[in-house]
Amino acid sequence: HINNVIRTGKQPAINFAHSSIRSSMLEEIEALETSLSLTSVTPEIIWELGTSLAQKAMDEKLPIGIEIRIGELCAFCFAADGVTPNTQNWINRKLNTCDFFGHSTLWVNEKTGGDASLLDTKYGLDPHLSANAPGGMPIILKGFGRVGAIAVSGLAAHKDHELVVEALRKLQTKLNQPG
């Protein structure tokens, strides 16, 4: 169940040979992506999203990199202590995958049954420029659609994903407060 994946950071033990189970998981992830839609995307909102994640990284000494793209432009980028060039490589790969599929890299991971080789053999993506590792999420503008993506890398992939989900939820709560 997707809530278990988000809460625990661990993949459930599911036999993905059953397409109905995979389809159900994909639908749950799509519902999560939609639930994280924003009512507005401005430079100030992107700054708030990025700096909240960066502050968490500094407070908790998380060796993560963060990038937020709006369209093709980098709107926010951060590298905490411990980040390496390989971290940026994973961020770019996650963002490229979000752009190609229009979904989170968790969705892509489920779609491929965890088999990263399918990105190349089935979808024609360069394996050096794409990844099905969770941690990338589309930025969706309510009433419009996908306008960008955010990626975190540096921890276990499902922890990267969890950080993004948590940050988007906190941002939604803050934006929905009166005042």
Side-chain angles (χ1 to χ4, degrees), residues 23-99:
S23 177
S24 174
M25 288 292 289
L26 291 172
E27 289 170 6
E28 285 188 47
I29 296 167
E30 289 170 15
L32 172 67
E33 293 170 0
T34 300
S35 77
L36 296 172
S37 297
L38 301 174
T39 56
S40 180
V41 177
T42 65
E44 294 81 10
I45 289 170
I46 296 304
W47 177 256
E48 179 67 33
L49 176 60
T51 56
S52 71
L53 274 165
Q55 190 63 56
K56 182 176 181 74
M58 291 188 298
D59 291 347
E60 297 180 20
K61 301 195 180 340
L62 303 174
I64 62 170
I66 305 158
E67 186 169 331
I68 304 172
R69 287 186 194 162
I70 300 301
E72 298 280 323
L73 300 175
C74 175
F76 184 90
C77 188
F78 173 81
D81 261 352
V83 167
T84 68
N86 193 46
T87 308
Q88 184 63 49
N89 179 39
W90 277 101
I91 288 170
N92 290 335
R93 293 169 68 193
K94 290 176 182 185
L95 290 169
N96 292 340
T97 303
C98 285
D99 288 346

Side-chain angles (χ1 to χ4, degrees), residues 113-176:
D115 183 354
S117 70
L118 291 178
L119 294 174
D120 177 25
T121 59
K122 186 171 183 180
Y123 299 102
L125 298 177
D126 183 331
H128 298 99
L129 300 175
S130 58
N132 68 347
M137 178 74 69
I139 295 177
I140 300 170
L141 179 60
K142 280 186 184 170
F144 181 79
R146 193 177 61 77
V147 295
I150 179 172
V152 168
S153 193
L155 303 176
H158 285 285
K159 288 299 277 179
D160 291 341
H161 177 81
E162 191 176 303
L163 286 173
V164 172
V165 170
E166 178 186 318
L168 283 165
R169 284 191 175 136
K170 283 183 180 177
L171 178 64
Q172 285 178 322
T173 300
K174 185 173 184 171
L175 293 175
N176 291 329

